[in-house]
């Protein structure tokens, strides 16, 4: 591709730290979403569904990742079509009182592209594919 063809593509990086204030509500919502996605228990995807349900019950980060959809973030933006998205979540040590707790200039860009493993088991949700590294990825 020429530079003029590739210049229309933009990589947008967003990083958030979220506090889970009600783990039961979060996992319950994730379980409801999985039930809606997979339909009645059993069938061809029973093993996958069981794995996803176990993950969201045991790990708030997995429950959150199963509910977040980057397509929803940009679907209403005019003139933009999502070409590819990848997302994951992980439980972290975070102190909101620590002024150095949020280092936006950590120079970690190379690591992001190399390993991509940000924790979690990569719960499948809304049609994304699980990569070998555990991250969930969807392609348009």
């Amino acid at each position: 591709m020429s530079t003029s063809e590739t210049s229309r593509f933009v990589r947008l990086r967003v990083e958030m730290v979220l506090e889970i204030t009600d783990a039961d509500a979060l996992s319950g919502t994730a379980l409801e979403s999985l039930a809606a996605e997979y339909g009645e228990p059993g069938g061809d995807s029973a093993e996958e569904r069981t794995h996803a349900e176990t993950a969201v019950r045991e790990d708030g980060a997995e429950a959150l990742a199963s509910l977040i959809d980057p397509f929803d973030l940009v679907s209403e933006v005019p003139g933009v079509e999502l070409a590819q998205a990848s997302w994951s979540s992980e439980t972290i040590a975070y102190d909101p009182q620590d002024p150095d707790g949020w280092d936006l200039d950590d120079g970690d860009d190379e690591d992001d592209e190399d390993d991509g493993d940000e924790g979690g088991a990569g719960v499948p949700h809304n049609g994304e594919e699980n990569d070998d590294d555990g991250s969930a990825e969807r392609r348009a």
Side-chain angles (χ1 to χ4, degrees), residues 49-72:
R49 177 183 178 149
T50 300
H51 169 74
E53 288 175 344
T54 300
V56 301
R57 279 189 187 101
E58 295 176 356
D59 186 353
E62 288 294 340
L64 183 61
S66 76
L67 292 169
I68 300 299
D69 188 346
F71 288 85
D72 291 343

Side-chain angles (χ1 to χ4, degrees), residues 14-39:
V14 177
E15 186 168 332
M16 295 184 259
V17 175
L18 304 170
E19 179 183 3
I20 297 174
T21 59
D22 188 340
D24 291 336
L26 176 61
S27 64
T29 301
L31 289 169
E32 288 173 8
S33 179
L34 289 171
E37 178 181 347
Y38 287 103

